[in-house]
Amino acid sequence: MFTIYTVTPADMNRLLKHNTTLIKFWCLQGNARLLNSKIPPIPVVKLTDENNLPPQTKINQETIELLERLSLVDFANKRGIERLEDAIKFADLIRGIDTSGVEPMISVLEDRTLYLRDDIVTEGNCRKEVMSNAAVTEEEYFVAPQGNIPLIPRDSLLNDNKSSKQK
Amino acid sequence: MLSLSIRQISRKLKDGALLPSDVCAACLYQAEKLKTLNMFVRLTKEVAEIQAKEADSRYKNGNIRCLLDGIPVAVKDNYCTLNVETTCSSQMLENFKPQYNATMVQKLQNAGAVLLGKCNMDEFAMGSGTVDSIHGPSKNIWQSGKCATSIEHVHSVKVKCREFYQLSPPSSKGSCSTVEEDDWFIAGGSSGGSAVAVASGTVFAALGSDTGGSTRNPAAYCGVVGLKPSYGLLSRHGLIPLVNSMDVPGILTRTVDDAVTLLNVLAGYDPLDSTTIRDDFIPLDLSQDIDISKMRIGIPQEYHCPGISDEVLETWSEVADILEKAGAEVVSVSMPHTPSSIACYSVLNQCEVASNMARYDGIEFGLRTAENRSTEELYASTRSQGFNEIVRGRILAGNYFLLQRNYSQYFVQALKVRRLIAQDFARVWSSGIDVLLTPTTLTDAPRYSQFISRDNREQCASQDYCTQPANMAGCPAVTIPIKLSKQGLPLSLQLMSQNYRENLLLAIARWIESVVDFPHLELDI
């Protein structure tokens, strides 16, 4: 719908300050609800063809135990395993991309050199502050239980049909 | 007073019309009034009042430090603040009191800014809603029933200007209706608390962090300016890391001009952060208006992704029209690897997270369970209790991709795809494009009920689509609010420029801002 509004001279001055072509253009235009020609009217993204993806990975018990041991966090329940499988499925979308001849990019600052400073002590002597957030200390030591004892294995979550831990 | 820009309030302070203590008191009052929005994890009232008093003397004696002196600000709860708990909204750090200030916090303090509080966030910055926090979710102030939008009070000239520039008419719904207690609109994330704090006038600026869009996403939903600076421009020292190769401190303000003020205070090399660039930072000066007719604006085709709302599309189109009519050259460009970006980002994010989260073992700091059988059991039990399922899920996924058998086809492949994405950007810049114009988020702010109906992972995968490519390439990006949706919620757009070209990026952003004249909230106090 083409409607005319009245504006004060002050308004007009303010608008003209931006551009005059707009005013002329506006007067000629009718309904301008169509998208600007540069904006893609439909999604350009083609959803990856399901057949091109590698087969969906199912996590086995061995992998669960390995990951829990490496991560030192647990899956907690079957939903956790499903979440991982979804994450893998999503990540699979990049596996088919042709990256031959492409070098991995580890940092966007790869063209710069790391700054090295002189080996001079500039700060320190703050043991009290450093230890202030530790829950358990003994004299000037952090305290940890004995190491080199493997985690106690527990029941497989793959057969678990109810959550063992709600969070 | 609270809807003023930093420059305006600074003027009032300089003229003696107000004292920093007055402004601080007003902001604390606003924070209290809007408590149910849950934007703060912690208000640092005593610290703020002391800092404000010190600023009072400086103003009285004429020793004003800079524009930011005496101005209340807030920082996301993943910035280390000396002797003030920094929780990352996680049980793991619930009682963690850093013994130093993050460089960003220190710079704000040196500039005389008044720290009002620590803002709520998604746990360890993993999320796009600020709903996954041990402190509870943050709520968007828009359509919350807490504040009228300026639509009801809008000056007739503003309406006419909008129509002159052929922006679709604003929401006809009139004043915001009170939303049920349990179904409000999300603030976005993970810097949701910071965004609401700025939108609500509780602070004049806030710090967020941005790894995949965590500053721009909530800024877009809350109708404020969200700036993601170039990687390496601002120091990450003391910013608890998520993804070292992509994290940057984010700036949230109500105007582009204010974002420039913050950037000028915060940017620059920091010897304590080896990923900051050594180049001298020249403070931005946007006092000269730019000539839009000399600009080349790129519209990347691939940013129209499935799920984008008609309103966002329309907004994108309208601003492209505005630029074109002002004489700018608006061109269609292609960034072919954009659709793969989000999947690539998910791999890199999870792998770096797996590494960064390894430090939380309960020994030196943070939560520690009573488990005593072995170090492994202690670590496992502490970490399982201290992290929520999203954090645990990302650690497990990251370690999966880093397994010897998967390393090459997931992690290394993702690093290669990252280069392809960065090359898409490089190609665009070398073809003479000054800035790219894209949507920020796919829709206006979702309702809480709708948002939680999908898994955190799924949500991030769709919400971050338009924002995370900038993190992959390290380029600067800014989101600015354009207009309101039919629901009366902000609709925003994103601009990106070549790395370290914030001067151009923000000059164009400011031009668009002045033309669209977004109807900010009425924040009368």
Side-chain angles (χ1 to χ4, degrees), chain B residues 180-451:
Chain B
E180 278 87 53
E181 255 320 299
D182 58 353
D183 207 10
W184 30 272
F185 292 94
I186 64 165
S190 58
S191 312
S194 301
V196 179
V198 171
S200 63
T202 309
V203 290
F204 287 80
L207 288 187
S209 64
D210 196 309
T211 306
S214 291
T215 289
R216 291 162 286 156
N217 172 297
Y221 288 156
C222 293
V224 297
V225 173
L227 171 63
K228 174 212 165 293
S230 306
Y231 183 84
L233 194 60
L234 268 56
S235 171
R236 292 183 299 112
H237 171 71
L239 167 61
I240 295 172
L242 176 65
V243 180
N244 295 21
S245 70
M246 300 190 210
D247 288 352
V248 294
I251 293 169
L252 295 121
T253 53
R254 288 191 288 277
T255 67
V256 173
D257 202 40
D258 287 350
V260 170
T261 302
L262 266 288
L263 187 68
N264 285 342
V265 166
L266 297 172
Y269 169 66
D270 180 13
L272 296 173
D273 176 358
S274 61
T275 59
T276 50
I277 56 166
R278 303 281 331 264
D279 308 5
D280 285 324
F281 173 70
I282 301 159
L284 267 50
D285 175 12
L286 297 193
S287 52
Q288 301 283 58
D289 283 328
I290 50 154
D291 185 355
I292 274 287
S293 67
K294 294 205 160 70
M295 299 295 141
R296 275 192 104 219
I297 318 286
I299 307 281
Q301 300 299 290
E302 292 81 0
Y303 278 69
H304 181 166
C305 65
I308 261 190
S309 74
D310 287 336
E311 287 184 308
V312 166
L313 213 53
E314 210 173 68
T315 309
W316 193 12
S317 174
E318 284 166 357
V319 174
D321 283 339
I322 287 169
L323 289 161
E324 235 166 11
K325 288 166 192 177
E329 194 185 342
V330 177
V331 294
S332 188
V333 296
S334 175
M335 302 180 73
H337 297 96
T338 309
S340 326
S341 191
I342 188 84
C344 174
Y345 169 75
S346 77
V347 174
L348 293 178
N349 178 300
Q350 283 161 140
C351 291
E352 288 211 39
V353 158
S355 169
N356 273 326
M357 296 294 131
R359 70 193 68 191
Y360 301 105
D361 54 23
I363 304 288
E364 302 94 340
F365 54 84
L367 178 76
R368 180 188 181 127
T369 56
E371 181 54 64
N372 256 320
R373 274 176 292 186
S374 67
T375 40
E376 301 245 331
E377 290 288 355
L378 171 66
Y379 294 172
S381 116
T382 294
R383 289 157 64 82
S384 290
Q385 197 182 311
F387 294 141
N388 71 9
E389 56 188 13
I390 289 131
V391 178
R392 295 202 310 273
R394 290 204 194 183
I395 293 169
L396 289 161
N399 278 324
Y400 178 82
F401 298 132
L402 293 170
L403 288 174
Q404 214 168 23
R405 66 188 196 240
N406 295 326
Y407 192 86
S408 177
Q409 65 255 46
Y410 286 104
F411 183 60
V412 178
Q413 174 71 350
L415 290 174
K416 293 178 177 179
V417 174
R418 183 176 184 175
R419 183 176 298 284
L420 292 174
I421 293 161
Q423 283 173 347
D424 278 356
F425 278 92
R427 236 188 326 269
V428 160
W429 309 133
S430 56
S431 74
I433 298 291
D434 293 306
V435 292
L436 291 165
L437 174 70
T438 77
T440 312
T441 53
L442 275 55
T443 62
D444 57 3
R447 282 186 188 275
Y448 176 64
S449 56
Q450 191 194 337
F451 186 76

Side-chain angles (χ1 to χ4, degrees), chain B residues 434-474:
Chain B
D434 293 306
V435 292
L436 291 165
L437 174 70
T438 77
T440 312
T441 53
L442 275 55
T443 62
D444 57 3
R447 282 186 188 275
Y448 176 64
S449 56
Q450 191 194 337
F451 186 76
I452 57 170
S453 66
R454 288 167 80 196
D455 186 65
N456 176 295
R457 198 201 55 78
E458 272 183 79
Q459 282 294 8
C460 290
S462 73
Q463 303 290 341
D464 290 348
Y465 187 92
C466 298
T467 51
Q468 48 73 36
N471 299 86
M472 301 285 264

Side-chain angles (χ1 to χ4, degrees), chain B residues 56-266:
Chain B
D56 284 352
S57 339
R58 288 196 295 272
Y59 272 92
K60 285 185 184 134
N61 299 332
N63 295 334
I64 303 162
R65 288 181 184 174
C66 67
L67 264 180
L68 266 189
D69 202 348
I71 310 283
V73 299
V75 307
K76 188 174 179 180
D77 207 19
N78 57 357
Y79 283 92
C80 287
T81 40
L82 176 62
N83 285 325
V84 175
E85 286 88 342
T86 300
T87 69
C88 289
S89 290
S90 173
Q91 224 191 319
M92 185 60 85
L93 293 178
E94 206 173 353
N95 300 309
F96 174 63
K97 266 197 188 166
Q99 296 302 302
Y100 65 101
N101 276 328
T103 299
M104 293 294 93
V105 173
Q106 192 59 50
K107 283 194 167 186
L108 287 174
Q109 200 178 301
N110 295 346
V114 170
L115 181 67
L116 216 81
K118 307 298 292 295
C119 297
N120 198 18
M121 52 188 279
D122 280 302
E123 180 162 340
F124 279 111
M126 299 185 200
S128 54
T130 311
V131 301
D132 290 306
S133 158
I134 58 163
H135 310 291
S138 288
K139 303 181 184 183
N140 200 324
I141 186 170
W142 290 85
Q143 298 299 328
S144 65
K146 299 277 174 205
C147 228
T149 64
S150 65
I151 276 300
E152 295 86 54
H153 310 282
V154 77
H155 193 277
S156 58
V157 173
K158 289 183 191 172
V159 178
K160 284 164 185 144
C161 284
R162 262 201 301 281
E163 258 130 3
F164 254 87
Y165 285 99
Q166 306 223 10
L167 283 172
S168 341
S171 165
S172 54
K173 268 206 168 149
S175 65
C176 45
S177 47
T178 317
V179 178
E180 278 87 53
E181 255 320 299
D182 58 353
D183 207 10
W184 30 272
F185 292 94
I186 64 165
S190 58
S191 312
S194 301
V196 179
V198 171
S200 63
T202 309
V203 290
F204 287 80
L207 288 187
S209 64
D210 196 309
T211 306
S214 291
T215 289
R216 291 162 286 156
N217 172 297
Y221 288 156
C222 293
V224 297
V225 173
L227 171 63
K228 174 212 165 293
S230 306
Y231 183 84
L233 194 60
L234 268 56
S235 171
R236 292 183 299 112
H237 171 71
L239 167 61
I240 295 172
L242 176 65
V243 180
N244 295 21
S245 70
M246 300 190 210
D247 288 352
V248 294
I251 293 169
L252 295 121
T253 53
R254 288 191 288 277
T255 67
V256 173
D257 202 40
D258 287 350
V260 170
T261 302
L262 266 288
L263 187 68
N264 285 342
V265 166
L266 297 172

Side-chain angles (χ1 to χ4, degrees), chain A residues 103-120:
Chain A
E103 282 298 300
M105 181 183 229
I106 294 165
S107 165
V108 297
L109 301 178
E110 59 188 4
D111 293 332
R112 294 171 187 261
T113 51
L114 200 63
Y115 169 64
L116 297 176
R117 68 187 187 105
D118 291 334
D119 188 11
I120 303 168

